[in-house]
Amino acid sequence: MKLSLPQATIVQFGTSRFLLGHVAAFAGAAIENSSSQEAVLVVQTSQRPEGKIKAAALAREGSYPLHIKGLRDGKGVDEQYSIASIAGSLIAQEQWQALEHHFINTARWVVSNTGDSGYQVADDSSLAALPRSFPGKLTKLLYARFQAGRPGLTMLPCELLSRNGQVLKKIVATLARKDYQDTQFNAWLVSDCCWVNTLVDRIVSAPLEPVGAVVEPYALWAIEQTPSLEMPFEHSAVEVVSSLQPYELRKLHILNLAHTYLVDQWRHLGLADVSYVREAIQEPQLRNRLSEVMELEVLPVLSLELPGMDLASYWLTTLERFENPYLDHRLEDIANYHRDKLVRRLSPVVSMATAYNIPTPRLNAAIKRAEQMGGI
């Protein structure tokens, strides 16, 4: 299929299966139900051969398969869709001029998911013919748009980083001051561009070849309300909220905490025959201990700290996500950086509990075990 670039008002940096199973899928659903016609241009930013293969497949096929597998309200879900939101794709390394032209003339929104190191700049410069980093590329493209007298864009980053929109804004502004020394451009970045904090939550469990994704039924894209924010589409998984902090804390101290506590108990009980989260949640001892710590310690604390966040419902949904029979989420993978995860996920709940005079013997024991192992 030939590129239909004039339709692609959403510029997506990254060919990751996550974005294909999240933002691009939401855009596809909105196009399908005729509530939006805002399509996506996918940009392959790295030099990875597999990424270039996916970019080529997206440009060639014009659509990609999305397979939703898991549980929803206690019932099995096995659904297949063809997502037609991708109007084309470009490889930055090979098609920079075409990307710059599109960015100047057509783009309205920028979406990114560039991985844990995606915001690292090091000694990169946006003055380079092809900047190495994502912030370098974005700064160069924004300057080209500014010079063309075009209005600012809305940035909707999806990296797993707290206040990701403001972090990206600061990095780009720093690069702009260093490279261009143009006060009008600096002012344009602040006043004309909209830098939005977002929170993403969906497990994209597997890729499909040559391009596509397998995802769980649950999905959330929480968008922090920002002056001049206009979203490209509406979707049931998209929530525009006054503050992301309650959503970040809910995810960190329920979903992520439960994963880490499950690993603590798995190690403590020595259940070597259990390998995956879905197996662990079916093991009576592990499930009972996880339910006890959540219902007797975590949820009572968070209900005081995060009123109105429907925590009980979120916990039941989390349990259902853990039970997903199609998801091979290895406990050993969750166990990586176990000490750091305990500090970030469990310790703040213990501190909150102390303030509310709520005992947390189970959380305390997990932290003590890590201390005895030299973990904290």
Side-chain angles (χ1 to χ4, degrees):
M1 177 182 176
K2 293 183 179 179
L3 296 180
S4 303
L5 297 185
Q7 302 174 17
T9 53
I10 305 168
V11 177
Q12 171 182 305
F13 286 89
T15 59
S16 71
R17 68 177 187 253
F18 176 81
L19 285 177
L20 295 179
H22 197 265
V23 178
F26 302 159
I31 291 171
E32 178 71 19
N33 66 29
S34 301
S35 65
S36 168
Q37 290 301 314
E38 310 296 350
V40 178
L41 170 69
V42 174
V43 180
Q44 169 60 19
T45 57
S46 75
Q47 299 184 33
R48 296 183 301 111
E50 57 270 30
K52 292 183 178 182
I53 291 171
K54 286 202 290 184
L58 286 169
R60 181 177 64 251
E61 301 295 335
S63 64
Y64 64 90
L66 183 74
H67 198 167
I68 301 178
K69 301 180 72 173
L71 300 172
R72 184 190 293 127
D73 299 327
K75 299 178 181 178
V77 175
D78 192 344
E79 303 168 350
Q80 297 188 45
Y81 299 91
S82 178
I83 306 300
S85 61
I86 308 299
S89 68
L90 294 172
I91 299 171
Q93 185 184 14
E94 302 171 1
Q95 299 166 293
W96 183 264
Q97 287 187 338
L99 171 58
E100 186 176 275
H101 182 271
H102 182 81
F103 202 87
I104 292 170
N105 294 289
T106 307
R108 292 184 61 194
W109 295 273
V110 173
V111 173
S112 63
N113 183 249
T114 55
D116 294 340
S117 60
Y119 286 1
Q120 293 181 8
V121 175
D123 61 349
D124 193 24
S125 169
S126 64
L127 297 175
L130 179 63
R132 295 187 306 276
S133 67
F134 163 61
K137 291 181 177 73
L138 180 60
T139 305
K140 186 178 184 71
L141 290 167
L142 286 169
Y143 189 61
R145 187 176 172 96
F146 163 75
Q147 285 189 307
R150 299 285 290 152
L153 300 177
T154 296
M155 316 306 159
L156 295 163
C158 296
E159 287 79 9
L160 293 174
L161 184 68
S162 181
R163 298 189 59 76
N164 46 19
Q166 297 309 302
V167 172
L168 183 60
K169 176 183 178 181
K170 183 176 180 180
I171 294 170
V172 168
T174 300
L175 272 172
R177 286 193 297 271
K178 175 176 70 72
D179 291 343
Y180 300 104
Q181 301 179 10
D182 185 332
T183 56
Q184 291 184 328
F185 178 44
N186 295 339
W188 181 85
L189 288 173
V190 173
S191 62
D192 282 38
C193 292
C194 184
W195 304 83
V196 186
N197 301 321
T198 86
L199 172 72
V200 298
D201 190 3
R202 184 175 221 177
I203 297 173
V204 183
S205 57
L208 296 173
E209 300 300 337
V211 64
V214 180
V215 302
E216 65 172 337
Y218 179 86
L220 172 67
W221 193 19
I223 311 289
E224 191 166 75
Q225 184 61 261
T226 307
S228 76
L229 170 65
E230 180 182 344
M231 290 295 294
F233 51 76
E234 294 182 354
H235 189 276
S236 59
V238 178
E239 297 184 29
V240 179
V241 302
S242 59
S243 172
L244 278 188
Q245 185 181 29
Y247 292 83
E248 292 175 340
L249 292 177
R250 184 180 69 174
K251 180 183 177 184
L252 179 66
H253 297 315
I254 295 183
L255 176 71
N256 300 143
L257 181 149
H259 271 146
T260 294
Y261 190 79
L262 201 59
V263 165
D264 167 76
Q265 293 298 302
W266 170 64
R267 285 178 161 180
H268 180 57
L269 296 172
L271 299 174
D273 57 332
V274 175
S275 299
Y276 299 107
V277 171
R278 56 178 167 77
E279 295 174 340
I281 211 66
Q282 298 299 331
E283 205 288 324
Q285 289 187 86
L286 288 175
R287 187 184 184 99
N288 290 340
R289 291 184 179 211
L290 179 60
S291 295
E292 286 176 357
V293 76
M294 297 302 298
E295 294 167 10
L296 298 177
E297 299 183 19
V298 177
L299 292 179
V301 172
L302 293 182
S303 66
L304 297 173
E305 193 73 14
L306 303 173
M309 287 299 292
D310 198 10
L311 302 179
S313 177
Y314 184 80
W315 167 235
L316 291 177
T317 299
T318 298
L319 269 177
E320 191 169 65
R321 296 172 73 186
F322 286 6
E323 292 171 339
N324 188 339
Y326 304 106
L327 180 59
D328 291 339
H329 197 173
R330 296 185 65 86
L331 293 165
E332 280 289 359
D333 293 339
I334 300 171
N336 289 333
Y337 306 105
H338 186 61
R339 176 197 63 182
D340 295 338
K341 290 175 180 177
L342 275 166
V343 170
R344 291 188 64 243
R345 299 173 179 182
L346 275 67
S347 295
V349 177
V350 172
S351 297
M352 296 175 205
T354 301
Y356 293 122
N357 199 29
I358 295 175
T360 55
R362 297 163 184 83
L363 294 176
N364 293 341
I367 293 170
K368 185 174 182 180
R369 275 189 287 274
E371 290 174 342
Q372 292 172 343
M373 295 171 58
I376 297 180

